[in-house]
Amino acid sequence: MDLQIVLLLGQDGITSGAIYALLALALVLVFAVTRVIFIPQGEFVAFGALTLSSLQAGKLPGTLWLLIGLGAAVAFADISWALRHHKMRRVPLILFYNCGVPILLAGYLLAVSPATLPQPVQVALTLAMVVPIGAMIYRLAYQPIAEASVLMLLIVSVAVHVALIGLGLLFFGAEGSRTTPFTDMSFQIGDAVLQGQTVLVVVASLVLIVALYFYFERTIYGKALRATAMNRTGARLMGISANLAGRLSFMLAALIGAFSGVLIAPITTIYYDSGFLIGLKGFVGAIIGGLASYPIAAAGAILVGLLESFSSFYASAFKEVIVFTLIIPVLLWRSLTSRHVEEEE
Amino acid sequence: MKLKAVAIRILALAGAGGTSLVYADINVGVTLSATGPAASLGIPEKNTFALMPTTLGGQKVNYIILDDASDTTTAVKNTRKLISENKVDAIIGSTITPNSLAMIDVAAEAETPMISMSAAAKIVEPMDAKRAWVFKTPQNDALMAAAIVDHMIAAKVKTVAYIGFADAYGEGWWNEFSKVAEAKGIKIVANERYNRPDTSVTGQVLKILSAKPDAVLVGGAGTPAALPEKSLKEKGYKGQMYQTHGVANPDFLRVCGKDCEGTILPAGPVLVADQLPDNNPVRAVALEYVGKYEGTYGKGSASTFGAHAWDAGRLLANAVPVALKKAKPGTPEFRKALRDALEGTRNLTLAHGVASYSDKDHVGFDQRARVMVKIENGGWKLVH
């Protein structure tokens, strides 16, 4: 064990940790705003990565059909709501956002050959396909039971997770995929080689975290989300729609997930079911932050990444055991230091 | 409607006085892992059943295919369902070893012959009263491990590192390989594990690199086996790479790309069917399977895993006519006769080799069931 190995393991741990940190932030955000423990968070990682790789292979990704299908279901639900409340004027807008936009996207993808597009366009198309799915899932699965208990919302999360895993297998097949790297650069630091792609992951994660910070501090929607997280009823009295906040937080979670997937797809093989484990490690980070504190959750996620990297060197067979055992002392410490408030029955 | 059909059948049976069972189809129950972690193996197997013969020995065959989601409990549940509800005459399955092991008790209890499509030797060894009902089509890991060790000795490899799945597959390969390698004087300098969905194996790879082995063997299946090899190449490893026959599908080549050039692995002959010499008996059968599969599912889609299912079908096709002479389908006597007929299989050419069973050996393969293959120009190349 010399310095070079420590450096390489550290670099590897921080790269995975950066991704876990992004997911931990998304989990904290969703939980704070909607009280949903968002188990399917990881699926967006897999969907983002595999959608991009389908595009690069010149295939129409299955997520497009999912988007169209969910869009139609949301339109149906929203229009029947509008009819019942005599708000006919909303119908064209509902149709445009939920059916028109996905169909335009499908038309565009059918018209061009996606494999020949420049990489940034492929990434943009991937995000355009995967991100709205987050909001649509909120509308269909969570909004009707938004006032239910945390346990009920958790059970729905498990159901959504299982459904998305099944769809992932159907869309992308059982075997994994990789995407072409964004950069082939590598840097020489002492004896260690630093891959440009891993630097990109860390930098992009940092940029996203800073962007999220400004979003929450400086924009009206970000502030509305924060207000809802602090006090749902109070926020509603101030005219902030809980439904809007829910959709927005899920859309952000999907954006973070899909973006993480796009980032890591060139450095590792992603499978239709990879997301769950990645999301789970983000969840360990979020738990360290008590599902409430963003900075502690991010730091916890980096810790998980480092722990994973070093334990894979010392005891590879027990890597997952070590990572997930971490949660027990953390839970103990949290339950000893914080007063438990009984949730509504 | 359904009731009426059943009534007509009963009448017909009664009319025939039970002397001729015109309506007694042969029912073959199949449970395989078309979803879950083993889906990449289970899907080609499932596809293969669509190509199977619809009659055996002049009798109609029904294949009842259930998915066990790579889950042991579901596999056992499926087996019970197939036996009690569908009254199957034989069971084919499952895709993975833990499922197959768990199914042995159920199949033996119901005295139903079972043909497993998973690899581990312990499915049919040591032979006992229960395993007498169980056969399997994939080669034993020991046969494949011995082939790798022979190749290593010929290539003058002195030290080797092993990195495998942290599950039954990786553990099974470690046991077989370390046993043979040490007996032949090859030193194993590192033994690492990783998980199928892992996104990074940097730690394991660094440890392997610091042990400086002449060669590295990856004990993994399908596309996940590409990750250690890609990481090793990325970190500048120059030694010889070996993989197991678990990677023998086109997706592995797609994901691993140019990093896997020059990799050596043992495989069933069906993988390189068109490169086999004309005098190899396996060639014709293997080409027939590949032709049929790719005719239906597209060029380059055939894999060795589907061929294990095909071989199970061939074993049945060979045994059913013998059993039909002794008893009628749907009876315990027929299942017993079918088991005896399966065990009586001699020199039957399959897509994966030539099988001769005995009351001690329910795998029945010899050296003809494996070839050494090298990855060259993004394809499989037979090594002579």
Side-chain angles (χ1 to χ4, degrees), chain B residues 6-255:
Chain B
V6 171
I8 288 173
R9 271 192 185 197
I10 292 169
L11 280 177
L13 280 179
T19 48
S20 105
L21 282 168
V22 197
Y23 288 96
D25 296 349
I26 299 168
N27 290 312
V28 176
V30 182
T31 170
L32 39 73
S33 312
T35 57
S40 67
L41 281 59
I43 290 170
E45 289 172 359
K46 189 173 172 210
N47 289 342
T48 299
F49 280 95
L51 312 170
M52 295 262 189
T54 50
T55 59
L56 290 179
Q59 296 280 344
K60 190 169 175 298
V61 197
N62 304 316
Y63 297 98
I64 302 134
I65 301 172
L66 301 178
D67 174 25
D68 60 35
S70 315
D71 174 61
T72 307
T73 318
T74 316
V76 170
K77 211 164 64 192
N78 283 350
T79 312
R80 288 198 191 284
K81 181 171 183 286
L82 289 167
I83 289 171
S84 61
E85 285 179 27
N86 302 95
K87 312 269 183 253
V88 294
D89 299 298
I91 286 178
I92 299 179
S94 171
T95 308
I96 50 173
T97 300
N99 292 8
S100 299
L101 285 174
M103 287 160 59
I104 293 175
D105 283 343
V106 187
E109 185 191 295
E111 305 197 321
T112 306
M114 160 181 152
I115 305 176
S116 167
M117 299 180 287
S118 36
K122 56 186 177 205
I123 295 167
V124 290
E125 287 167 15
M127 187 52 66
D128 55 22
K130 281 179 184 166
R131 287 181 172 81
W133 291 93
V134 183
F135 302 82
K136 91 180 172 81
T137 53
Q139 301 85 343
N140 279 342
D141 287 345
L143 183 74
M144 295 302 200
I148 291 185
V149 171
D150 288 346
H151 189 276
M152 283 177 174
I153 287 179
K156 307 212 180 343
V157 170
K158 296 272 184 299
T159 54
V160 61
Y162 177 81
I163 174 164
F165 282 176
D167 67 7
Y169 189 88
E171 211 54 45
W173 259 92
W174 165 249
N175 290 336
E176 296 296 343
F177 174 75
S178 57
K179 209 161 54 191
V180 188
E182 266 158 17
K184 296 263 176 94
I186 293 176
K187 197 159 164 262
I188 300 177
V189 290
N191 171 24
E192 296 297 313
R193 294 286 183 281
Y194 72 110
N195 293 295
R196 202 185 63 90
D198 274 357
T199 50
S200 163
V201 288
T202 307
Q204 293 94 322
V205 161
L206 289 174
K207 201 155 179 191
I208 288 175
L209 286 176
S210 59
K212 297 192 173 51
D214 294 341
V216 178
L217 168 64
V218 181
T223 41
L227 183 64
E229 187 157 357
K230 280 184 97 80
S231 300
L232 277 164
K233 289 282 158 69
E234 187 189 295
K235 299 268 181 296
Y237 182 67
K238 295 279 186 291
Q240 177 65 49
M241 292 294 308
Y242 290 88
Q243 291 273 0
T244 67
H245 58 306
V247 303
N249 70 6
D251 288 295
F252 176 76
L253 293 177
R254 170 176 62 81
V255 167

Side-chain angles (χ1 to χ4, degrees), chain A residues 267-300:
Chain A
I267 47 177
T268 185
T269 322
I270 298 285
Y271 311 89
Y272 73 98
D273 59 347
S274 287
F276 180 58
L277 211 56
I278 302 176
L280 215 53
K281 284 171 188 158
F283 185 68
V284 175
I287 289 286
I288 294 174
L291 277 174
S293 159
Y294 291 94
I296 302 180

Side-chain angles (χ1 to χ4, degrees), chain A residues 260-328:
Chain A
S260 316
V262 168
L263 279 180
I264 55 166
I267 47 177
T268 185
T269 322
I270 298 285
Y271 311 89
Y272 73 98
D273 59 347
S274 287
F276 180 58
L277 211 56
I278 302 176
L280 215 53
K281 284 171 188 158
F283 185 68
V284 175
I287 289 286
I288 294 174
L291 277 174
S293 159
Y294 291 94
I296 302 180
I302 301 274
L303 176 71
V304 169
L306 285 170
L307 190 69
E308 185 179 41
S309 171
F310 280 90
S311 55
S312 75
F313 182 83
Y314 286 111
S316 58
F318 299 104
K319 191 193 78 180
E320 307 291 30
V321 180
I322 294 170
V323 169
F324 289 114
T325 309
L326 176 70
I327 211 167
I328 296 174

